[in-house]
Amino acid sequence: MTRYFLRRFATMAVTLLAISVLIFVVIKLPPGDFLTMRIQELMAEGDSAAAAKADFLRRAYGLDLPGWQQYLSWIGLWPRAGAYSGLLQGNFGWSFEYDLPVIDVVGDALGATLIVNLAALVFIHLLAIPLAVFTAVRRRGIVAEAITFLAYLGLATPSFLLALILLFYLNRWFGISIGGLVDPDLADAPFSLEKLGSITVHLIVPIVVIALASTAAMIRRMKANLLDELHKPYAVTARAKGLGPTRALLKYPFRMVLNPFVADIGNMLPGLISGSVLVSLVLSLPTVGPILVQALRMQDQYLAGFILLFVAVLTVVGMLIADLVLALIDPRIRFGK
């Protein structure tokens, strides 16, 4: 198991390096950069002092260097201003638009993003797995048909449209404050049970909206896989030997269909983050989605690069965790068969 972990960890490191190169190339594809455009604007306005400061930052952060040197400087493998200071050294860069270190711009948003999307991930599995099992076992019942119909609706409903509907009607009918992650009156208050309750209430709508499509998709896929396994010879034999229906289901077919869904954990979390950008804009959630959109629009390369790399890290770490869990529950993977 240790050798398997080390092998997967080495693969993860190489993958992250390749992803960082792709991220940097994509960010640098549009011509120019934030400071170059800013210098041109300031010179046109006649503000030579501010333009000189912007030009100083441009040279200090190596934006006048060739692209490959800029990348190595960003990573921390090329000296900048006589010292190595990049991602490997814990320096995530400078946001030129906000005129702040990147970590100060996204610090609170990273925590909010993880809270919202991890809660959505838990919600998906807690809701989808029992409903999928129920609809597979009771597939001809009225309740199962209703769940299947609702799953189709969940797949077909755009998340931003559902967010707008809930934003309007929950506030109109129930007076629930929608938007943000806490009531404005408690935003600057110290942590308390009242603030925790406010956060919990505000999380309900974002979690439902973000997780709806993924929940519906998981119900459909797991139901189809279970129906395929329930009629295989080993499942029929288990029931013929007198094994109870519930135990026969959970011990054999259910375990067989778990592998692809455990493997999906690595892809699901970053997918939720990227898919929740519009929802975050609609619901005014303080996540990294709106910040990323603005950073890409303004060519704030260090800010955009860090956020994209953060999502990439979540992807590869999630896939590593999924692989380790698969190795634990399926010996064939652990022994490389």
Side-chain angles (χ1 to χ4, degrees):
M1 188 66 182
T2 303
R3 292 179 59 187
Y4 178 80
F5 170 76
L6 292 175
R7 188 167 64 249
R8 290 293 296 112
F9 187 82
T11 304
M12 181 185 75
V14 174
T15 303
L16 273 178
L17 182 63
I19 291 174
S20 68
V21 174
L22 290 175
I23 288 173
F24 191 82
V25 169
V26 169
I27 290 176
K28 296 296 290 184
L29 280 178
D33 55 67
F34 180 87
L35 288 178
T36 300
M37 293 187 299
R38 185 62 179 158
I39 291 170
Q40 293 173 353
E41 292 174 0
L42 292 171
M43 292 299 293
E45 295 171 3
D47 193 347
S48 57
K53 178 185 176 182
D55 186 59
F56 169 78
L57 287 174
R58 186 170 181 268
R59 286 182 279 105
Y61 281 90
L63 297 183
D64 57 338
L65 298 174
W68 64 273
Q69 290 184 8
Q70 290 186 41
Y71 167 75
L72 292 177
S73 176
W74 177 51
I75 294 297
L77 298 177
W78 189 273
R80 182 172 57 200
Y84 290 89
S85 182
L87 294 176
L88 295 177
Q89 290 78 30
N91 181 6
F92 301 123
W94 187 268
S95 171
F96 302 116
E97 182 184 3
Y98 293 93
D99 200 22
L100 288 170
V102 165
I103 193 62
D104 291 346
V105 176
V106 300
D108 294 336
L110 291 180
T113 301
L114 287 175
I115 290 173
V116 171
N117 290 280
L118 285 175
L121 190 64
V122 173
F123 175 83
I124 289 169
H125 286 82
L126 289 181
L127 186 63
I129 292 176
L131 290 180
V133 172
F134 178 82
T135 54
V137 175
R138 306 287 185 182
R139 61 185 182 279
R140 301 188 187 281
I142 297 177
V143 177
E145 293 293 340
I147 293 173
T148 302
F149 175 72
L150 291 175
Y152 278 122
L153 284 182
L155 286 170
T157 304
S159 57
F160 72 91
L161 177 60
L162 180 62
L164 287 172
I165 294 172
L166 293 178
L167 183 69
F168 178 77
Y169 285 105
L170 288 182
N171 183 266
R172 180 177 180 179
W173 292 345
F174 302 103
I176 299 177
S177 175
I178 306 295
L181 289 181
V182 67
D183 286 330
D185 297 338
L186 300 173
D188 298 324
F191 188 79
S192 62
L193 290 177
E194 183 182 7
K195 189 170 185 177
L196 178 62
S198 176
I199 294 173
T200 303
V201 171
H202 281 74
L203 276 175
I204 294 174
V205 172
I207 288 173
V208 171
V209 172
I210 293 171
L212 181 64
S214 297
T215 303
M218 182 176 283
I219 290 173
R220 297 293 302 156
R221 289 174 54 206
M222 181 168 277
K223 176 186 175 182
N225 290 348
L226 267 177
L227 287 175
D228 186 50
E229 295 291 332
L230 285 173
H231 301 289
K232 288 187 175 179
Y234 73 89
V236 177
T237 303
R239 292 194 297 270
K241 286 185 174 181
L243 206 62
T246 302
R247 190 179 177 190
L249 172 68
L250 298 179
K251 187 173 177 64
Y252 297 111
F254 181 69
R255 289 179 62 187
M256 293 298 296
V257 303
L258 272 183
N259 280 18
F261 297 96
V262 173
D264 275 350
I265 292 175
N267 300 321
M268 190 172 290
L269 185 56
L272 291 174
I273 293 175
S274 59
S276 64
V277 173
L278 284 178
V279 176
S280 298
L281 291 171
V282 171
L283 296 178
S284 302
L285 300 179
T287 61
V288 296
I291 299 176
L292 175 60
V293 172
Q294 180 67 8
L296 291 173
R297 190 175 69 85
M298 299 301 297
Q299 292 184 271
D300 197 350
Q301 69 176 49
Y302 290 116
L303 180 57
F306 174 77
I307 296 175
L308 292 173
L309 193 59
F310 168 73
V311 176
V313 169
L314 285 182
T315 303
V316 295
V317 170
M319 293 181 70
L320 175 63
I321 294 173
D323 287 345
L324 294 178
V325 173
L326 283 174
L328 288 174
I329 67 176
D330 192 338
R332 295 172 299 177
I333 297 173
R334 185 165 62 248
F335 294 108
K337 299 298 182 183

